[in-house]
């Protein structure tokens, strides 16, 4: 999730394995795009492709969530990564985020629709890290009986996310908000069918540790859907601007980094296959370009 900063009209983010993998391959065939024509207006390039496994493994019982929430290690990590903020600050951030993302969400909607279509019929239990105010909940099909676990370190996001779930037709009995960070996810190994993260790896403390946690909780064959902003190309005016504003962005946006090479982290994190595309959005200002795609465990 991101906010638009009134200071320089740019989106900012409110919070919060490495194993070898093949070097990303650029596919220059414009017809081989991730979003089909008419569904997504984004320009993109396919970097890595692999078949997605479909094996199903048992998921955890609901009681395991509560037991892990009491873990001293989990609590320590949460406090270290996201030190307690004043209630007024957390509430203000959640409120502004809830209202400030509409233009961006409208522009990225085509790409997200195509991404989330990959989950239909393939995911009964979904974990979303950095769920924020729940803008992605409208993409889940309530008819599929999907159960969503939304992780976010800001507890004030919960009521907005619940409202988004209700608006999307997702029963609250099928939605659970968990105060947590991506570096320490309080769910069991191989316990979810899919993990979703949009505009969240920009502000986690440790990108590789978060990706390792995503792989841990995913069942074999599970999917990781992502949309992230990354650093602009070296030598461009936008990259210079990002480098100058990065320290300020981190301060104002609860740790959001403008110059991370998140696509490289994902590609090298040991997933069996990664489909990764790139686009630039007019509503995203300095948090361009953006990458989006699907990784399979």
């Amino acid at each position: 999730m991101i906010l638009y900063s009134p200071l320089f009209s740019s989106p900012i983010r409110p919070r919060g394995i490495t194993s070898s993998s093949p070097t990303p391959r650029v596919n220059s065939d414009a017809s081989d795009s991730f979003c089909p024509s008419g569904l997504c207006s984004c320009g993109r390039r396919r970097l890595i492709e692999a078949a997605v496994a479909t094996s199903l493994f048992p998921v955890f019982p609901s009681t395991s969530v509560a037991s892990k929430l009491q873990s001293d290690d989990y609590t320590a990590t949460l406090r270290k990564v996201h030190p307690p903020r004043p209630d007024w600050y957390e509430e203000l951030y959640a409120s502004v985020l809830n209202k400030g993302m509409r233009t961006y969400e409208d522009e990225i909607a085509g790409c997200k629709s195509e991404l989330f279509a990959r989950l239909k019929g393939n995911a009964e239990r979904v974990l979303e890290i950095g769920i924020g105010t729940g803008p992605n909940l409208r993409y889940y099909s309530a008819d599929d009986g999907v159960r969503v676990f939304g992780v976010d370190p800001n507890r004030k996001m919960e009521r907005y996310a619940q409202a988004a779930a209700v608006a999307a037709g997702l029963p609250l009995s099928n939605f659970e908000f968990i105060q947590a960070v991506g570096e320490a996810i309080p769910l069991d190994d191989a316990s979810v069918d899919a993990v979703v993260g949009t505009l969240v790896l920009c502000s986690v403390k440790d990108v590789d540790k978060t990706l390792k946690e995503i792989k841990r909780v995913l069942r074999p064959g599970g999917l990781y859907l992502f949309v992230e902003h990354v650093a602009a190309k070296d030598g461009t005016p936008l990259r210079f601007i990002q480098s100058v504003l990065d320290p300020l962005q981190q301060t104002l946006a609860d740790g959001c980094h403008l110059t991370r090479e998140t696509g490289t982290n994902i590609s090298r994190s040991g997933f069996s296959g990664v489909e990764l595309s790139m686009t630039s959005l007019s509503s995203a200002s300095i948090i361009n370009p953006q990458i989006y795609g699907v990784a399979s465990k």
Side-chain angles (χ1 to χ4, degrees):
M1 307 304 145
I2 51 177
L3 287 175
Y4 287 96
S5 167
L7 195 58
F8 42 82
S9 300
S10 68
I12 59 176
R13 165 74 168 76
R15 350 125 288 280
I17 358 207
T18 320
S19 59
S20 60
S21 66
T23 301
R25 174 177 59 83
V26 177
N27 187 339
S28 59
D29 183 357
S31 65
D32 188 46
S33 60
F34 188 79
C35 296
S37 177
L39 284 180
C40 179
S41 60
C42 305
R44 79 288 299 170
R45 51 183 177 169
R46 182 70 53 81
L47 301 181
I48 304 174
E49 296 182 351
V52 176
T54 57
S55 58
L56 296 175
F57 271 59
V59 293
F60 63 94
S62 58
T63 54
S64 66
V65 176
S67 63
K68 285 211 167 190
L69 284 171
Q70 305 305 317
S71 165
D72 290 339
D73 290 341
Y74 156 75
T75 302
T77 302
L78 172 62
R79 290 176 177 173
K80 180 179 180 181
V81 173
H82 187 83
R85 275 79 161 167
D87 281 351
W88 69 263
Y89 174 85
E90 299 275 62
E91 177 58 41
L92 176 63
Y93 228 108
S95 177
V96 174
L97 179 67
N98 190 53
K99 298 176 181 178
M101 290 296 297
R102 293 170 185 171
T103 301
Y104 171 85
E105 290 296 339
D106 287 344
E107 188 172 3
I108 197 69
C111 294
K112 283 190 175 183
S113 294
E114 182 64 18
L115 285 176
F116 279 84
R118 299 285 291 271
L119 298 184
K120 188 172 180 59
N122 294 319
E124 293 182 358
R125 298 201 178 198
V126 178
L127 164 67
E128 182 166 343
I129 58 171
I131 193 167
T133 58
N136 294 327
L137 291 172
R138 59 176 168 159
Y139 296 104
Y140 298 105
S141 176
D143 295 337
D144 290 342
V146 63
R147 184 177 182 192
V148 180
F149 299 91
V151 163
D152 199 286
N154 185 347
R155 174 62 72 179
K156 300 299 182 179
M157 300 287 187
E158 182 174 12
R159 70 184 182 93
Y160 295 101
Q162 288 179 337
V166 172
L170 183 68
L172 289 182
S173 58
N174 284 17
F175 175 71
E176 182 175 351
F177 183 97
I178 303 171
Q179 187 178 23
V181 290
E183 293 87 345
I185 299 171
L187 301 180
D188 287 343
D189 298 352
S191 60
V192 296
D193 303 304
V195 176
V196 173
T198 62
L199 302 179
V200 62
L201 293 184
C202 58
S203 58
V204 298
K205 291 288 187 182
D206 190 324
V207 176
D208 289 331
K209 187 174 182 180
T210 299
L211 289 167
K212 185 175 181 180
E213 279 288 274
I214 289 171
K215 287 180 59 186
R216 179 185 66 79
V217 300
L218 270 176
R219 63 165 174 80
L223 302 179
Y224 166 42
L225 276 58
F226 57 88
V227 178
E228 299 289 347
H229 67 86
V230 297
K233 186 177 180 180
D234 285 336
T236 61
L238 179 56
R239 179 57 181 267
F240 174 77
I241 293 172
Q242 289 174 337
S243 298
V244 170
L245 294 179
D246 194 40
L248 180 61
Q249 178 82 345
Q250 292 180 44
T251 300
L252 295 178
D254 208 4
C256 173
H257 293 71
L258 293 173
T259 57
R260 282 183 171 172
E261 302 285 355
T262 307
T264 300
N265 293 90
I266 295 173
S267 297
R268 296 179 178 176
S269 59
F271 287 98
S272 66
V274 179
E275 300 171 17
L276 191 156
S277 302
M278 183 174 289
T279 186
S280 289
L281 304 175
S282 62
S283 61
S285 187
I286 62 171
I287 62 165
N288 274 310
Q290 299 205 359
I291 59 169
Y292 60 98
V294 180
S296 55
K297 182 176 176 180

